[in-house]
Amino acid sequence: TDIARAKEAERLRLLDKSPDTNWLAMLAQRPLKELADKTGQSAFISKFDGTSVRSITCVAPDTPVRTYVMPGMAMPVHATASAKAILAFQPEDVQSRMLSSELPKLTDKTKISIPELLHEFSIIKEQGYATDLAEHVAGLGSIAVPIRVPQLAVAYAVGLTGPYSRIIEQDF
C-alpha cells in the first residue's frame, strides 16, 4: 500500500541521516564477502555525510596479497572511485563546495583541475561507475558504483580496490 511504502521510505531516510553506520556495516558483511571472494579484491562501502566521504566497512579476500580500506577513513573526493561515484550524483552546489579547497596531488596521476574533475563526474553519471586509476595511492586501482535508493539522494557507494594491474588492466 501507499502508506506502507511511505513508512518504509521514512525509515530509510532516518537510517540514512544517522551518523551511526554500524547497521549498514553489519548488513553489508555477507554481500561484501561474496564480492571479495568472487573478485579476489577488497570490497568496501563508503558514505557521504554532507561534508566528507568516509569508508564504512571493508572485506578483504582470503588471498596472500590484499588491500584494505580502513573503516572511518576519509576518502579524498578528487582521487578515490567511491567519493567520485557519490559526488558525480550530487547537485552542482555540493560539488563546488566539496571541490572548493585546494586539492592535493597525491600521486602523479591525481587530477587537481576542477574543470577536469567536473567533466569526469559527467562521464561517471553517464557510465554509472567511477574509477581511481592510481590517483589516490600509486600502484592501486579502484572501481565504485553509487548505491541508488529510491527517494533518497546518492550518499553511498560500493567499490573494489586492489593492485592496479589486476583491478584496471586484467580484470576490469
Side-chain angles (χ1 to χ4, degrees), residues 66-108:
R66 57 183 158 225
T67 56
Y68 191 76
V69 179
M70 292 300 296
M73 182 176 93
M75 311 302 279
V77 296
H78 65 300
T80 57
S82 60
K84 292 188 286 183
I86 294 169
L87 245 81
F89 292 88
Q90 301 304 310
E92 285 181 23
D93 64 315
V94 174
Q95 291 175 349
S96 295
R97 178 173 46 84
M98 295 303 295
L99 298 174
S100 65
S101 62
E102 188 174 325
L103 303 172
K105 189 108 172 127
L106 304 169
T107 73
D108 63 340

Side-chain angles (χ1 to χ4, degrees), residues 8 55 59 70 96 123 162 168:
E8 182 63 24
S55 63
V59 174
M70 292 300 296
S96 295
I123 293 169
I168 303 301

Side-chain angles (χ1 to χ4, degrees), residues 87-151:
L87 245 81
F89 292 88
Q90 301 304 310
E92 285 181 23
D93 64 315
V94 174
Q95 291 175 349
S96 295
R97 178 173 46 84
M98 295 303 295
L99 298 174
S100 65
S101 62
E102 188 174 325
L103 303 172
K105 189 108 172 127
L106 304 169
T107 73
D108 63 340
K109 307 273 190 211
T110 307
K111 296 177 194 87
I112 58 172
S113 160
I114 292 174
E116 189 177 5
L117 287 163
L118 293 175
H119 177 68
E120 184 177 3
F121 290 168
S122 67
I123 293 169
I124 292 165
K125 284 181 80 167
E126 187 176 301
Q127 66 190 13
Y129 65 90
T131 56
D132 164 359
L133 305 174
E135 299 159 55
H136 180 218
V137 176
L140 294 182
S142 295
I143 302 168
V145 295
I147 298 173
R148 298 180 191 190
V149 178
Q151 303 174 348

Side-chain angles (χ1 to χ4, degrees), residues 17-18 39 52 59 66 79 118 125 132 159 166 172:
K17 297 299 177 201
S18 172
T39 63
S52 65
V59 174
R66 57 183 158 225
L118 293 175
K125 284 181 80 167
D132 164 359
R166 293 264 332 270
F172 188 81

